[in-house]
Amino acid sequence: MCFTVWDWQEDRQRVLREYDSLTWKQSVAVRSSALMEDTAAQSFAGKYESFLNVCGRENFMLAAEKVIDSYEDGDTANQVLVQPMLNQKNLWAGVAFTVDPNTLGNYYVINYSMTGSTSEITSGSNVENILYYQFKGAEDENSPAEMQKLCKALQELEQFFGQENLDVEFAFADNHLYILQVRSLCIKEPPASLSRQKQELCRIRKKIWQEQMPKPFLCGQKTVYSVMTDWNPAEMIGIRPKPLALSLYQEIITDSVWAYQRDNYGYRNLRSFPLMVTFAGLPYIDVRVSFNSFIPADLEEELSEKLVNYYIARLTDNPLKHDKAEFEIVFSCYTLDISERIQILKNYGFTETEIQKILHALRNVTNHIIDHKNGLWRKDYEKIQLLDKRYHEIMGSGLDDIGKVYWLLEDCKRYGTLPFAGLARGAFIAVQILQSLVSCGIFSKSDYELFMNEVSTVSSEMNADMKELSRNAFLEKYGHLRPGTYDIASLRYDEAPELYFDWEKQEHMHNQPDKEAENNADIFRLSLTQLNDLKKKLDENGLANDILELMDFMKTVIEGREYGKFVFTRNLSRAIQLIAQIGETEGISKEDCAFMNIRVIYELYASAMDVKESMLYSIRKGRHACEVTNSITLPPVITSPDEVMHFFYPDSEPNFITTGKTSGPVYLLETMAMHTSNDLEGKIILIPCADPGYDWIFSHKILGFLTMYGGANSHMAIRAGELGIPAVVGVGEKQFLQYKQAVYLEIDAQAKTVKILR
């Protein structure tokens, strides 16, 4: 039933007679339908009043009056809609888009709640909603029956209305599908090319299908792909990186450096296996390759095969653990509680003999790594320090800019990311051992936090230096950092210092007491009982039993990892800066250079090719590829080829840092543009990833922060723990989008909850 404002004002009795004659008036929805509402240009969704579950004539009249009162333009042609309410059992409802409004990809994007309320989806108030994607060109019939039915209805609606951008509210009640409302979905540009997108997705599906079989020199019957399982590309370069950032990450880490480090440290030799693959420009970790690299080199082949298959099966069954697989699925080192944790293998067909062989191999590789005298972590620390000396040699040489970029990156690999990867491996083992001390009852949680607080990192030094050093001296030391470590468009600290730091406030604070130091006044100490218990536990487990050496190892590698990252990023950052300068000389903007592949620089260094022509050719290819990249959505974990075409987007299981609790207004920091110290102070900051370049936020008095991507062992997680700032790292894309809509959030790290207060 529908009527206009004029009908209500001039002939209300006729409208009421029509209402009285309805056979379904027991419970109705009285909804707005203004002329300005739901147009092709703007939806005004939620601007006007609507009322659900309206019962009785008096309530109907009151609801109609309130809907009409909410119309502000006075146009009597505005309408009011009346619909029957669905009150059946087994009701669930949601909203479907017939194009992805964020990427303009050709997807049916379906968001629903099992509570039966579409308002919980439109308001974003229900964090337990389910998100489903189905590509419009999908031809298979393996999707859930309800989704098949809904997608066919959406296709019918597109044909009926003659447009492909619809916003549809729907409900399922007792297995019957009801369409409640259809409006135009406002998009600024036409959707991406369906045929091109289908061609690309079919290639990706075929590639993944081909990979689901055994491979020479690799354990495991099949593979899984993830954006966060190892070296965390989603955290470091994002899920849709530009070609320059993507190719830089491949060049200096994931193509070969990563495997050299694992081999050097006593794990399986995976050299020549790239760790990261790309699907239409979206970076994914080949999880089978990653899991192979955590197998000790001296573990027999048959048992290694069985172990990798177990790891992949566990991740397939628990995809939410993809960003914490090494903590919760993989056994990559020996810890003081591993004898208990590894018993889970008995539930998956491992014998006691096999378990003991695995423990023996893990013990050997761990002792090899943590060895205080001969451990490779010592040499890696020295290599990192050598990088600083060589940096100045390169920059002071007579090389042209292309030559300098080449050697900065080559040195970055040999003396930067390779030893950094070793220190990072040592740091991971250190954190695992520390956590096992807590689970064994030797350390309390506060002991663990005190130990981490006393770890001196570059980040803690930066806060102190901000107060002590002159502006020029500070930027000389830290100026190479940038929030997007691999992103040429991300400004370095020394390129836009006012953007990142409030210098006036820092100058005022020079003479103020160090409250951070006061807050961290407690000192980590081992009691005599703890010393004896730890010595006994180390002896029992056959681990290197010099406690002082073990403590030194753990502290040094955790500090060394952060120092290594700080040093190697200077080479990387300077190389990126020089690439921008080369582009500028050739009349190519920094923004255009972001679409270039770094291999162009390598080709130019080893040839006499035309610089401008070579760069522009690469940029054109990159732009063309990014058109597809930006329109494609894939799940964060791909366990089967079918998931390329349709998938449920999983809820992320975030990492809560500290046991603190805080609440406050939200500040979104997706870009670096236009913010001041006042913007950040006293707020909960939302940032896309746990990139160390965002460390500058700690120079402001923030209440806490959340990141879309990032692991429990990421830089920002460690920094938050060090400063005692409540944080949630790696909430996932779906949750992050919901928190972006909030005005006020509460983080309770101990309870592991984030609440939207407003």
Side-chain angles (χ1 to χ4, degrees):
M1 171 185 171
C2 67
F3 54 90
T4 65
V5 173
W6 188 92
D7 292 333
W8 186 254
Q9 292 173 346
E10 302 298 327
D11 197 2
R12 185 173 304 191
Q13 291 306 312
R14 183 189 63 76
V15 174
L16 291 174
R17 284 196 300 273
E18 185 178 353
Y19 169 78
D20 289 338
S21 68
L22 295 175
T23 57
W24 40 263
K25 64 177 181 291
Q26 291 82 2
S27 180
V28 299
V30 182
R31 308 177 67 159
S32 63
S33 184
L35 292 175
M36 292 180 63
E37 190 177 8
D38 300 333
T39 66
Q42 53 193 0
S43 72
F44 283 117
K47 180 177 176 64
Y48 307 111
E49 293 281 8
S50 288
F51 298 91
L52 304 179
N53 295 303
V54 177
C55 302
R57 200 174 199 254
E58 292 298 319
N59 288 327
F60 167 72
M61 292 173 64
L62 184 62
E65 286 285 356
K66 288 183 176 179
V67 170
I68 290 170
D69 286 345
S70 70
Y71 298 150
E72 298 166 349
D73 58 5
D75 193 327
T76 58
N78 288 326
Q79 288 183 320
V80 177
L81 299 179
V82 185
Q83 293 177 282
M85 289 295 300
L86 281 172
N87 292 312
Q88 287 98 326
K89 295 179 181 178
N90 304 318
L91 175 67
W92 53 277
V95 177
F97 296 154
T98 60
V99 65
D100 187 338
N102 298 312
T103 66
L104 299 178
N106 295 280
Y107 292 92
Y108 294 125
V109 184
I110 301 165
N111 201 188
Y112 62 93
S113 164
M114 302 307 288
T115 64
S117 170
T118 60
S119 63
E120 290 188 352
I121 302 300
T122 55
S123 68
S125 60
N126 180 13
V127 297
E128 300 299 325
N129 63 73
I130 300 165
L131 183 60
Y132 176 80
Y133 281 79
Q134 179 159 316
F135 176 60
K136 287 185 180 181
E139 296 172 354
D140 48 47
E141 298 295 322
N142 295 325
S143 56
E146 294 88 350
M147 295 297 101
Q148 286 187 40
K149 184 182 292 188
L150 177 56
C151 288
K152 286 177 182 176
L154 294 173
Q155 188 177 29
E156 184 180 335
L157 288 168
E158 288 177 288
Q159 294 168 353
F160 181 82
F161 288 106
Q163 66 182 79
E164 51 195 347
N165 54 307
L166 300 176
D167 175 350
V168 181
E169 290 189 21
F170 68 91
F172 276 94
D174 292 326
N175 295 320
H176 293 289
L177 170 62
Y178 295 86
I179 301 299
L180 308 179
Q181 175 175 295
V182 182
R183 56 159 68 103
S184 286
L185 177 64
C186 299
I187 54 177
K188 295 180 180 178
E189 298 175 31
S193 166
L194 178 64
S195 59
R196 187 177 174 196
Q197 201 174 351
K198 182 174 182 178
Q199 186 180 47
E200 194 68 41
L201 288 174
C202 286
R203 274 200 295 263
I204 295 169
R205 182 169 60 176
K206 182 179 179 181
K207 172 67 174 174
I208 293 173
W209 178 80
Q210 290 172 334
E211 295 298 306
Q212 304 310 312
M213 58 186 68
K215 277 192 168 185
F217 321 119
L218 202 61
C219 296
Q221 295 296 303
K222 55 172 283 188
T223 192
V224 171
Y225 296 95
S226 157
V227 299
M228 282 291 292
T229 297
D230 200 353
W231 280 101
N232 307 353
E235 175 185 338
M236 299 310 302
I237 56 176
I239 58 172
R240 292 186 179 87
K242 299 280 178 55
L244 181 61
L246 175 64
S247 59
L248 278 168
Y249 201 60
Q250 290 171 314
E251 182 66 39
I252 69 172
I253 294 175
T254 65
D255 274 355
S256 58
V257 167
W258 79 279
Y260 275 60
Q261 177 275 312
R262 302 266 165 94
D263 183 22
N264 289 343
Y265 270 58
Y267 294 97
R268 280 180 73 93
N269 182 353
L270 272 295
R271 299 188 188 205
S272 301
F273 283 96
L275 178 65
M276 187 171 74
V277 299
T278 61
F279 299 134
L282 278 66
Y284 279 83
I285 295 303
D286 185 332
V287 174
R288 174 167 53 183
V289 171
S290 169
F291 285 168
N292 269 261
S293 75
F294 292 128
I295 301 291
D298 60 355
L299 190 65
E300 60 189 52
E301 192 70 12
E302 187 176 337
L303 187 51
S304 298
E305 171 78 15
K306 188 173 182 179
L307 198 53
V308 170
N309 283 328
Y310 159 75
Y311 292 154
I312 292 171
R314 283 290 309 280
L315 181 59
T316 301
D317 292 341
N318 303 274
L320 288 181
K321 297 186 184 297
H322 75 116
D323 63 342
K324 44 185 79 65
E326 203 178 342
F327 281 103
E328 300 189 18
I329 293 177
V330 174
F331 302 106
S332 64
C333 64
Y334 197 97
T335 61
L336 299 180
D337 61 353
I338 194 171
S339 296
E340 293 78 32
R341 291 190 297 114
I342 205 168
Q343 295 306 312
I344 191 174
L345 293 181
K346 290 182 178 177
N347 300 335
Y348 293 86
F350 287 79
T351 66
E352 181 62 32
T353 301
E354 288 173 328
I355 289 173
Q356 289 305 316
K357 286 180 179 179
I358 295 168
L359 286 172
H360 178 72
L362 290 172
R363 185 186 295 110
N364 286 346
V365 77
T366 303
N367 276 328
H368 170 71
I369 291 169
I370 69 176
D371 185 275
H372 201 262
K373 184 177 179 182
N374 300 313
L376 281 176
W377 57 277
R378 285 194 168 281
K379 293 178 181 176
D380 282 339
Y381 204 93
E382 292 167 5
K383 270 189 181 180
I384 287 282
Q385 292 170 320
L386 183 60
L387 184 64
D388 180 63
K389 176 177 177 291
R390 292 177 63 93
Y391 170 86
H392 291 291
E393 286 185 30
I394 293 169
M395 295 311 300
S397 71
L399 288 168
D400 63 4
D401 284 349
I402 288 173
K404 286 178 180 176
V405 171
Y406 175 86
W407 281 108
L408 283 169
L409 293 179
E410 284 299 293
D411 260 27
C412 186
K413 290 187 285 187
R414 190 172 294 109
Y415 302 103
T417 53
L418 180 58
F420 161 73
L423 291 167
R425 173 65 13 210
F428 183 88
I429 291 171
V431 170
Q432 287 269 66
I433 292 174
L434 283 166
Q435 290 180 344
S436 73
L437 290 173
V438 176
S439 66
C440 289
I442 297 173
F443 276 17
S444 66
K445 287 185 177 179
S446 60
D447 288 330
Y448 175 88
E449 290 178 2
L450 281 174
F451 182 91
M452 297 301 288
N453 283 342
E454 290 188 9
V455 171
S456 175
T457 64
V458 172
S459 305
S460 53
E461 285 180 23
M462 187 167 75
N463 264 11
D465 285 345
M466 187 72 190
K467 298 172 185 176
E468 299 298 329
L469 297 180
S470 69
R471 174 173 164 156
N472 287 341
F474 179 85
L475 291 176
E476 175 68 26
K477 184 174 181 179
Y478 300 100
H480 68 274
L481 297 174
R482 58 175 97 217
T485 303
Y486 297 81
D487 182 4
I488 195 170
S490 179
L491 295 173
R492 290 164 45 122
Y493 286 5
D494 57 10
E495 290 174 336
E498 307 298 339
L499 193 63
Y500 301 110
F501 305 103
D502 187 336
W503 299 98
E504 290 182 8
K505 177 175 283 191
Q506 292 300 332
E507 287 169 8
H508 173 72
M509 290 176 62
H510 276 188
N511 298 320
Q512 301 295 315
D514 190 340
K515 292 185 179 178
E516 187 178 313
E518 291 175 12
N519 292 338
N520 295 330
D522 291 336
I523 297 173
F524 171 79
R525 289 191 183 91
L526 280 174
S527 68
L528 187 59
T529 301
Q530 287 175 313
L531 281 168
N532 290 331
D533 289 347
L534 179 52
K535 179 85 167 68
K536 182 180 177 182
K537 201 74 174 174
L538 290 170
D539 286 337
E540 286 175 1
N541 286 275
L543 285 182
N545 61 9
D546 188 302
I547 295 173
L548 292 179
E549 289 183 353
L550 179 62
M551 291 295 167
D552 180 56
F553 160 78
M554 293 192 292
K555 187 172 185 292
T556 303
V557 291
I558 294 172
E559 291 176 346
R561 176 181 60 181
E562 303 309 307
Y563 172 71
K565 187 180 296 182
F566 176 76
V567 174
F568 92 69
T569 53
R570 181 166 64 164
N571 273 47
L572 174 62
S573 183
R574 189 72 178 107
I576 291 172
Q577 196 176 43
L578 287 171
I579 290 169
Q581 288 177 204
I582 296 166
E584 186 178 0
T585 301
E586 301 296 336
I588 302 171
S589 70
K590 183 190 293 187
E591 289 71 25
D592 283 340
C593 286
F595 292 93
M596 183 180 78
N597 191 300
I598 192 57
R599 294 308 305 174
V600 172
I601 297 294
Y602 279 72
E603 291 168 3
L604 289 170
Y605 178 73
S607 71
M609 295 164 61
D610 183 275
V611 175
K612 184 172 184 177
E613 185 180 310
S614 299
M615 290 178 70
L616 287 176
Y617 176 73
S618 183
I619 288 166
R620 283 194 297 272
K621 281 183 64 179
R623 280 194 177 278
H624 185 69
C626 279
E627 289 175 6
V628 176
T629 301
N630 294 336
S631 68
I632 282 180
T633 301
L634 295 173
V637 182
I638 303 174
T639 61
S640 80
D642 286 343
E643 289 173 335
V644 172
M645 295 296 185
H646 54 80
F647 55 90
F648 288 95
Y649 207 97
D651 284 315
S652 181
E653 192 175 322
N655 303 284
F656 286 85
I657 313 302
T658 80
T659 54
K661 182 176 181 179
T662 188
S663 62
V666 172
Y667 187 78
L668 179 64
L669 200 65
E670 281 190 303
T671 65
M672 298 310 305
M674 302 297 291
H675 77 263
T676 67
S677 177
N678 289 334
D679 291 330
L680 274 65
E681 188 168 330
K683 295 189 175 68
I684 293 175
I685 313 301
L686 268 60
I687 53 179
C689 62
D691 188 294
Y694 282 99
D695 196 273
W696 60 272
I697 68 172
F698 298 118
S699 67
H700 306 288
K701 295 179 181 177
I702 66 171
L703 295 176
F705 67 89
L706 296 94
T707 75
M708 186 188 307
Y709 293 108
N713 217 22
S714 66
H715 170 91
M716 296 291 273
I718 290 170
R719 184 70 172 122
E722 176 191 334
L723 296 177
I725 295 174
V728 194
V729 176
V731 300
E733 187 174 14
K734 192 170 96 175
Q735 293 292 87
F736 191 81
L737 290 173
Q738 290 187 328
Y739 297 144
K740 276 172 62 175
Q741 310 303 319
V743 177
Y744 218 86
L745 283 177
E746 177 190 271
I747 298 174
D748 187 339
Q750 186 164 21
K752 296 186 180 297
T753 61
V754 179
K755 295 178 182 174
I756 298 175
L757 301 182
R758 188 162 75 244

